[in-house]
Amino acid sequence: MKPFAPFIGIAAALTLSACATPSGPVEVTRFVAPERVGQLGRGTIFIESSPGAGGSSLAMAPYKAAVAAQLVQLGYTETDRASAAQIAQVGVEHYILEAGGDRSPVSVGVGGSTGSYGSGLGVGIGINLGGGAKDRLGTELSVRISEAAGGASLWEGRADFSPPENSPLARGQASANTVASALFREFPGNNGETIEVKVGE
C-alpha cells in the first residue's frame, strides 16, 4: 500500500476498549487537515473504490458498504457522485501474516472459496496457510475523504487488522464491519495519531 503523505503529524498511541474476548487489536492511523475539520461529518458524500484498488467490485462491496454505514452514522448523506460535496475513496489489501512476521499479499477473487476465508457473497481468497497455527489473515482498509470540487484532501485513515485465521472476524462482512468501525472510532481523530482499538468476537 502507498504510504500516507498528505499531512504531517506527531504519532501517538493509545488503546480503546471494546468487547471481551479480544481478537484484535485494530491499528488505526489517521491524518486530518486541521483547517478543514468543520467540513467533516456533514453534507453529501459518494463512496467509490480508490484508483488502482485491487480485487473485483464484488470483493470490495462489503468494505464500501461498511464504510458507507459508518459515514451515515457520523452525519453524512450518501448520494450519487454528481450530487456529492465530498468523495470517500476506499481501498482494501488482504495479506497473510506468517508466524515469523513475514507479510505476503493475497488476491481476492469471486466465486467458490478455495480457502477458509470467504463471505456469503461468494468472495474467497485462494490461499494455503500450510497448517501454520499462528498464521493470520490480515486486512488493511484505507479511506480518503476529499472535496468533490477540486479534490482537496480533508481526511485519510488506515485500519490494519490481523486476527487469528480461525476468528469469525477474519471473514467477509464481519471483517469489513470490524475495520470500518475501528477506523471511524472517535472520528475524525487527531492528525498523525496511531491508536489501537481492541475488538472482541
Side-chain angles (χ1 to χ4, degrees):
M1 169 162 286
K2 295 181 179 179
F4 282 76
F7 313 116
I8 299 175
I10 299 175
L14 57 91
T15 301
L16 301 177
S17 62
C19 306
T21 315
S23 184
V26 183
E27 185 177 275
V28 175
T29 303
R30 295 177 287 204
F31 295 89
V32 188
E35 71 279 8
R36 297 179 182 271
V37 169
Q39 295 175 248
L40 295 169
R42 57 190 297 180
T44 54
I45 195 164
F46 177 72
I47 292 90
E48 66 181 17
S49 299
S50 298
S56 69
S57 58
L58 184 57
M60 289 288 295
Y63 296 91
K64 291 166 69 174
V67 168
Q70 291 294 321
L71 292 175
V72 169
Q73 288 183 20
L74 291 170
Y76 281 104
T77 300
E78 189 179 3
T79 187
D80 60 87
R81 204 181 203 286
S83 304
Q86 297 178 26
I87 305 294
Q89 294 181 327
V90 179
V92 179
E93 177 187 344
H94 296 286
Y95 61 89
I96 302 171
L97 184 63
E98 298 175 358
D102 294 332
R103 177 168 164 167
S104 304
V106 294
S107 60
V108 178
V110 177
S113 175
T114 55
S116 59
Y117 190 109
S119 75
L121 292 175
V123 178
I125 297 180
I127 61 174
N128 180 2
L129 293 178
K134 295 183 179 180
D135 289 350
R136 292 171 175 259
L137 298 179
T139 297
E140 185 174 283
L141 171 70
S142 62
V143 178
R144 178 179 185 266
I145 299 176
S146 60
E147 292 181 335
S153 184
L154 305 177
W155 182 92
E156 291 197 25
R158 178 180 60 216
D160 195 318
F161 184 45
S162 54
E165 187 275 335
N166 60 354
S167 169
L169 298 183
R171 295 166 175 77
Q173 192 66 58
S175 171
N177 292 341
T178 299
V179 290
S181 177
L183 181 59
F184 292 102
R185 179 79 61 89
E186 297 187 356
F187 179 83
N190 297 317
N191 187 35
E193 180 181 74
T194 296
I195 64 173
E196 288 188 347
V197 180
K198 290 182 179 180
V199 298
E201 299 176 3

